[in-house]
Amino acid sequence: MKAELSAALASLIFGLAVSPVAVAHNAICNCYEEPDNQVLCEGGFSDGASAEGVDIRVLDDRERVLLEGKMDADSIFTFDRPDVFFHVIFDAGDNHRVVIYEDEIE
Amino acid sequence: MQASRIQQRRNYALAALLFFIYQPVQAHFQLLYTAETTPTRGVATDWFMLFTHPAHGGPHMDMAAPEKFYLVSQRGDAAEPQVQDLLEYVEPLEFSSEQGITQAYSASLPRSVTRSLGDYVFVLQPAPYFESTEDKYIQQFTRTMVNVGGVPGNWAEPMGLPAEILPLNKPYANWQGGVFRGVVLADGGPVPNAEIEIEYLNHDPNLENMTLGEQAKVELPQDSFGTQTIYANAAGEFTIGLPRAGWWGICALAIGADTEHEGKELSQDGVLWLQVKDLQ
């Protein structure tokens, strides 16, 4: 029993160590209309961690990927505004995805 | 209705007169107010700067033009803090009340100033104000902190101001019924046993017309309740309760190193404003 508990604890510690984000932290992302038909998205986490390297995807209303990339060192991703209706997914892993629809972008 | 309004004005004039004659214990507070300290996304912000007695809704004092108005922002733990001078946005404001016209200031900041996620520490350094009834100058280094989107930043970082209240819990995320803890600092060092005054902003500002609401939100049972006075401990730390939603001002008195201005006594105070939310 004691050995099982130790193994479970070790596995939990390992899981937390390799997880890209701690489970208690919320993913946050806002997108804004910028000049020259650009859209700027900025991400972050409620514990203040950087969003550098987090995946971001722009999809149409049939969930086809229009473009994808990663947040830069300033936790920002900028792209040309698509001609079709679109939404943005800031994807920091399970339970840490933020979806922003086009009508939320001002 | 008209008669009642005239009576109200008479009462106010009498209260103002009594204030200047008897000098009751009422705290001067430099207000640095914006409608929302925790927007979910970057928005344009309007700021209202009035030197007043917030619990009593006046009397108000004429401000000289601010010496400094700026912000220090930071997104996340790793980012470097950014300083942005905002003095160019400051406009004189003829604040109108039952008392008449009082010189105040306002600022309308575009969204680009607070577009990014994170903390924004707004700092107002007014010119020293001469309080003739006390024959001394008062200068209040005033801070109001805004957070965009919930990504924390530099709210807990000391700024090394001559007079400053350093928060020990997030100053923009306080529930009604909670407590707020802080440390009184002067030039970045703790001030043991500092005298601190706390007042509730009892008349809601209206940023559309830059006025204060006529109706007090709380009836004060006696004058002692308008200004709560406490002392910091030997490490400069203090804790206060936040029994009601709205805005609370905290002022650490006469803690700055400069104690003289133009041949008169100078009180350099540190002010911090908190917007407290109702837990519903």
Side-chain angles (χ1 to χ4, degrees), chain B:
Chain B
M1 184 68 183
Q2 184 68 18
S4 130
R5 201 169 178 81
I6 290 168
Q7 186 60 46
Q8 188 182 20
R9 286 186 181 178
R10 280 183 184 154
N11 290 344
Y12 191 88
L14 182 62
L17 183 66
L18 289 172
F19 171 80
F20 287 114
I21 293 172
Y22 295 111
Q23 300 170 41
V25 181
Q26 287 187 343
H28 297 65
F29 268 85
Q30 177 62 58
L31 181 60
L32 179 58
Y33 176 92
T34 192
E36 178 56 66
T37 58
T38 50
T40 55
R41 51 188 285 119
V43 291
T45 56
D46 289 327
W47 291 84
F48 178 39
M49 307 164 192
L50 175 70
F51 197 32
T52 187
H53 297 85
H56 292 80
H60 320 293
M61 287 72 68
D62 286 319
M63 284 177 66
E67 293 177 346
K68 294 181 183 175
F69 180 49
Y70 62 98
L71 67 79
V72 182
S73 62
Q74 186 175 321
R75 181 196 53 209
D77 302 331
E80 288 295 314
Q82 308 288 322
V83 181
Q84 190 173 350
D85 184 12
L86 303 171
L87 210 50
E88 64 179 295
Y89 297 105
V90 173
E91 299 282 348
L93 168 70
E94 290 192 341
F95 172 74
S96 179
S97 68
E98 301 280 355
Q99 178 186 326
I101 299 295
T102 303
Q103 183 66 65
Y105 288 84
S106 66
S108 290
L109 307 182
R111 184 177 75 176
S112 57
V113 171
T114 48
R115 197 269 300 149
S116 191
L117 295 163
D119 285 348
Y120 294 83
V121 182
F122 287 84
V123 183
L124 173 62
Q125 181 179 319
Y129 167 82
F130 183 65
E131 178 51 78
S132 58
T133 61
E134 299 177 47
D135 196 33
K136 71 175 185 185
Y137 283 92
I138 300 169
Q139 185 177 35
Q140 298 195 332
F141 296 84
T142 304
R143 303 200 301 164
T144 299
M145 301 195 192
V146 170
N147 174 269
V148 176
V151 174
N154 53 325
W155 61 267
E157 296 298 321
M159 296 179 69
L161 298 176
E164 175 178 351
I165 292 171
L166 179 68
L168 291 177
N169 49 303
K170 281 182 182 170
Y172 45 74
N174 287 283
W175 291 115
Q176 172 178 316
V179 297
F180 178 79
R181 297 160 56 241
V183 188
V184 178
L185 301 180
D187 294 321
V191 182
N193 311 312
E195 183 178 0
I196 301 164
E197 294 182 329
I198 302 111
E199 286 207 15
Y200 183 63
L201 183 57
N202 207 7
H203 295 254
D204 278 333
N206 180 339
L207 293 182
E208 293 290 316
N209 52 17
M210 293 290 178
T211 57
L212 289 180
E214 287 186 10
Q215 191 65 40
K217 295 165 74 176
V218 178
E219 290 300 324
L220 305 174
Q222 193 248 31
D223 205 62
S224 309
F225 291 84
T227 306
Q228 307 276 314
T229 301
I230 62 170
Y231 289 90
N233 66 16
E237 299 164 344
F238 67 91
T239 302
I240 61 169
L242 301 168
R244 190 181 170 104
W247 284 70
W248 290 86
I250 307 167
C251 179
L253 299 172
I255 55 172
D258 290 344
T259 56
E260 192 177 313
H261 180 72
E262 296 186 350
K264 300 279 187 184
E265 180 187 348
L266 170 66
S267 176
Q268 285 188 313
D269 308 342
V271 173
L272 178 68
W273 284 96
L274 310 176
Q275 185 180 29
V276 176
K277 298 291 176 78
D278 196 357
L279 183 56
Q280 287 186 328

Side-chain angles (χ1 to χ4, degrees), chain A residues 24-88:
Chain A
H25 307 145
N26 292 325
I28 296 160
C29 187
N30 285 331
C31 294
Y32 300 92
E33 212 172 62
E34 292 285 290
D36 300 325
N37 210 33
Q38 296 268 296
V39 176
L40 179 152
C41 296
E42 181 187 24
F45 297 95
S46 57
D47 67 342
S50 168
E52 181 180 4
V54 169
D55 291 333
I56 189 158
R57 295 188 294 281
V58 182
L59 303 97
D60 67 13
D61 57 4
R62 296 177 66 184
E63 299 300 324
R64 291 178 299 205
V65 176
L66 300 174
L67 58 114
E68 57 190 331
K70 291 183 183 295
M71 305 304 270
D72 69 12
D74 292 325
S75 303
I76 284 173
F77 181 74
T78 307
F79 57 93
D80 291 331
R81 188 182 194 107
D83 294 330
V84 297
F85 195 78
F86 69 95
H87 59 284
V88 177

